[in-house]
Amino acid sequence: MSKETRDHIINYLKNNLRYDGRNNLQYREVTVETNVVKTAEGSARVKLGDTELIAGVKFEVGKPYPDIPEEGTIMVNAELLPMSNPEFESGPPQIQAIELARVVDRGIRESKAIDTKKLCIKAGEQVWTVIIDLIPLNDAGNLFDAAALAAMAALKSAHFPALEGQKIDYKKPTKQKLPLVAEPISVTVLKIGSYFVVDPLLQEEEILDARLTVATLDDGTICALQKGGKLPLSIEEIEQMIDIATDKAKELRKHLR
Amino acid sequence: MAQAHRLQKVIMMSYKKRIDGRKFDELREIEAKVGVIKNADGSAYFRIGKTIAYAAVYGPRDLFPKFLQDPEKGLLRTNYNMMPFSGSGERVKPGPSRRSREISYVTEKALSPVVNLEDFPNSVVDVFIELTQTDAGSRCAGICAASMALADAGIIMKDLVAAVSVGSVDGQIVLDLDYDEEAYDKGDVADIPLAMIPSTGQFSLLQMDGKISKENLMKALEMGKKALPKIIEIQRNALKKKFEVMQNE
């Protein structure tokens, strides 16, 4: 992106105004729909303006890890489809997809959102694995927040399939829901020039100096952080960004109800 | 005695009523839209029953690596993919499989007869087909969506392409098999995915697996040929609808 475009965007940010008419700390319209994929045990579609992403939850049964024989496992995967953005290429997951999946994974795992002890079927032998796939249909910026929100909405909508002996009968969903004990919400704050911005457009992501993704719980506890971008951040900036993220998380959290 | 027994078996096993209650020549419910993916040059959504396909078209755009470029004609490149949660059973492992690569290949062959490749020398038109959920017939749904997305992208085409599967379940010819019918285990099943170019009535996709007599195969193809114009109508209406909306704005 040219220096002129960058200057242009920053000039607007100076007046608390964005390309699409929003304020610097304003989200686009957020919509969350659940049960959008009939073949998944849980699913959600999140839209942030023109950004659209689907999260699907599938259950499998497997052996537990030897160091935690009484706990089930979770896995988060993201596929950045070339359908959703002309910049994405086909092939094995690129680093962007890996980072996205790992940041969402950490928010869920470190907040202990899922009580993995309740995913144990037979200690040391058989446990549930919960797999969350995050797939953007259209990337118009801010996949991080869309993916984290979709993952939580999909987990909340999920029902265990029936288990017959060692095998899952996917055609028979049960009434049993996932043991969710916390709801992490991710907000990504960008630093562009000397300004902070949330819910970036693609053009804003291209010129960011730094970004900080902050996952918080409803009591303000921070459960995951990820800094990105080429420039470093001062401790004062980090504090401001966390405050913005904690505040904005309250808005996003309403969409999980 | 043996003959009487065999006769009884035939009567008992015949497929008299479809599992989901449809008539034998009835399509599942279809929903079609274009312009569903903003980033793409053209896009479409096609749902038939519980099978949902999205297609996005990017291009014509420069083709790399450069040695693939052809100054005489462009390249139509299709990619069919099932999302990991779109299968009716276990999670589908992400990434290309032998199955998805073959489907991508036959999809390209199903679509290319209607696309004027000479219109975009040295370039590529990429077609990405993604299934969010499936209940059989996914390659056909993908072809229907892809053909609409190409038209939506303004690629010059001789015609649209419509696709559906036909087949036989325990000797009964049926249209648009769902997963329960494909998995029917009380008799032979044949599944025949078809794609047709409506203006010529020719088929550009024809595959089959299962068992069927030649007589029944010909009947099944006729049934498909009769049903496909209904799908074309739905595809056309979806395209018209977008442009009506644009005119009114």
Side-chain angles (χ1 to χ4, degrees):
Chain A
M1 187 164 281
S2 70
K3 189 183 172 298
E4 284 72 22
T5 320
R6 182 183 155 88
D7 290 348
H8 186 65
I9 290 178
I10 290 180
N11 254 322
Y12 270 99
L13 295 181
K14 205 181 287 172
N15 298 311
N16 193 21
L17 201 60
R18 316 270 289 274
Y19 252 21
D20 56 0
R22 279 181 292 156
N23 298 334
N24 294 6
L25 299 183
Q26 193 182 350
Y27 268 79
R28 290 166 290 183
E29 192 187 349
V30 182
T31 59
V32 179
E33 277 172 85
T34 51
N35 298 315
V36 296
V37 178
K38 303 283 178 273
T39 45
E41 282 80 67
S43 62
R45 176 197 307 268
V46 164
K47 289 185 189 170
L48 300 175
D50 285 340
T51 289
E52 183 173 347
L53 183 140
I54 295 183
V57 175
K58 289 296 287 180
F59 286 74
E60 286 180 1
V61 288
K63 270 198 169 303
Y65 291 115
D67 54 335
I68 39 168
E70 292 174 9
E71 289 183 43
T73 52
I74 55 174
M75 183 183 136
V76 181
N77 173 61
E79 300 284 317
L80 297 184
L81 302 178
M83 161 184 275
S84 64
N85 183 331
E87 302 291 316
F88 297 157
E89 284 170 21
S90 304
Q94 308 278 316
I95 185 62
Q96 293 93 329
I98 294 168
E99 188 191 23
L100 176 64
R102 284 186 56 86
V103 171
V104 174
D105 182 294
R106 245 179 290 152
I108 294 166
R109 193 181 299 276
E110 301 308 321
S111 66
K112 304 202 164 29
I114 302 174
D115 183 354
T116 47
K117 288 209 167 66
K118 292 200 175 133
L119 299 178
C120 180
I121 301 164
K122 190 158 187 232
E125 287 182 24
Q126 206 184 22
V127 294
W128 289 103
T129 298
V130 180
I131 307 171
I132 307 158
D133 282 290
L134 305 165
I135 308 198
L137 289 176
N138 193 66
D139 173 18
N142 202 14
L143 290 180
F144 276 90
D145 299 358
L149 188 59
M152 274 321 293
L155 287 171
K156 283 188 80 167
S157 76
H159 289 263
F160 281 86
L163 188 65
E164 274 155 29
Q166 303 276 334
K167 284 189 81 179
I168 296 176
D169 187 347
Y170 289 100
K171 294 221 147 174
K172 287 189 192 148
T174 65
K175 290 206 163 134
Q176 198 192 345
K177 303 201 106 185
L178 270 173
L180 293 176
V181 288
E183 283 181 9
I185 293 281
S186 282
V187 172
T188 303
V189 183
L190 266 64
K191 183 173 176 259
I192 301 174
S194 54
Y195 303 99
F196 295 124
V197 163
V198 296
D199 192 26
L201 299 167
L202 285 179
Q203 296 93 324
E204 293 166 338
E205 286 182 344
E206 260 180 70
I207 61 157
L208 65 84
D209 295 316
R211 68 167 148 80
L212 188 64
T213 302
V214 185
T216 52
L217 300 181
D218 55 0
D219 64 358
T221 307
I222 300 161
C223 49
L225 289 172
Q226 179 85 342
K227 185 206 162 290
K230 56 190 185 299
L231 294 187
L233 292 169
S234 72
I235 194 163
E236 291 79 16
E237 285 169 335
I238 292 167
E239 190 180 4
Q240 284 181 58
M241 289 164 101
I242 287 174
D243 288 346
I244 292 168
T246 312
D247 190 45
K248 286 286 144 187
K250 288 179 198 150
E251 281 177 32
L252 285 188
R253 191 176 298 282
K254 288 180 195 151
H255 295 279
L256 280 184
R257 297 286 162 258
Chain B
M1 182 66 191
Q3 205 181 358
H5 180 72
R6 205 158 49 229
L7 203 64
Q8 194 186 14
K9 206 171 154 193
V10 168
I11 292 163
M12 274 176 61
M13 280 169 62
S14 65
Y15 188 63
K16 288 221 168 98
K17 199 164 177 286
R18 295 184 83 170
I19 298 163
D20 66 358
R22 274 183 292 154
K23 293 190 210 101
F24 294 122
D25 62 349
E26 188 180 343
L27 292 163
R28 287 175 286 178
E29 188 195 35
I30 297 176
E31 189 187 352
K33 279 184 274 187
V34 294
V36 292
I37 293 161
K38 295 258 163 59
N39 283 343
D41 297 309
S43 59
Y45 164 96
F46 188 90
R47 177 178 70 81
I48 182 158
K50 287 188 216 137
T51 298
I52 297 179
Y54 283 81
V57 169
Y58 286 91
R61 56 184 179 183
D62 289 342
L63 174 59
F64 297 107
K66 229 173 170 175
F67 70 82
L68 290 176
Q69 294 185 359
D70 183 341
E72 303 277 312
K73 60 179 178 7
L75 178 68
L76 181 72
R77 192 162 55 184
T78 58
N79 188 63
Y80 163 101
N81 182 50
M82 276 176 73
M83 289 189 182
F85 41 74
S86 66
S88 46
E90 278 175 22
R91 175 175 182 261
V92 181
K93 292 246 173 342
S97 61
R98 288 165 63 89
R99 174 182 176 275
S100 69
R101 290 188 61 184
E102 188 214 349
I103 294 176
S104 301
Y105 180 75
V106 295
T107 296
E108 191 180 305
K109 300 297 169 215
L111 295 167
S112 57
V114 300
V115 179
N116 277 321
L117 297 172
E118 297 78 14
D119 286 346
F120 42 93
N122 296 322
S123 306
V124 60
V125 170
D126 274 306
V127 183
F128 300 108
I129 298 166
E130 293 288 339
L131 281 298
T132 58
Q133 63 177 50
T134 61
D135 182 19
S138 69
R139 74 195 66 188
C140 294
I143 290 169
C144 290
S147 126
M148 293 162 68
L150 283 165
D152 183 42
I155 305 292
I156 297 172
M157 295 162 78
K158 298 184 186 99
D159 204 342
L160 284 168
V161 178
V164 76
S165 78
V166 291
S168 83
V169 178
D170 209 358
Q172 173 64 51
I173 312 291
V174 291
L175 179 68
D176 186 20
L177 286 77
D178 62 13
Y179 182 75
D180 285 338
E181 285 182 330
E182 271 189 14
Y184 188 82
D185 58 3
K186 297 187 190 74
D188 286 338
V189 176
D191 175 34
I192 311 165
L194 287 179
M196 188 174 81
I197 301 158
S199 54
T200 64
Q202 291 169 306
F203 295 114
S204 59
L205 170 83
L206 173 61
Q207 295 183 289
M208 190 195 109
D209 54 53
K211 281 183 185 167
I212 195 167
S213 67
K214 184 195 159 192
E215 195 193 353
N216 277 350
L217 171 65
M218 299 322 285
K219 279 190 202 158
L221 294 182
E222 285 300 332
M223 185 185 260
K225 199 171 169 178
K226 235 177 101 186
L228 283 160
K230 292 176 200 159
I231 297 181
I232 290 282
E233 195 59 28
I234 294 168
Q235 291 172 297
R236 279 202 189 117
N237 285 341
L239 284 156
K240 276 187 197 158
K241 204 167 169 189
K242 175 177 173 183
F243 293 102
E244 271 167 23
V245 172
M246 279 170 68
Q247 269 178 356
N248 294 339
E249 268 169 7

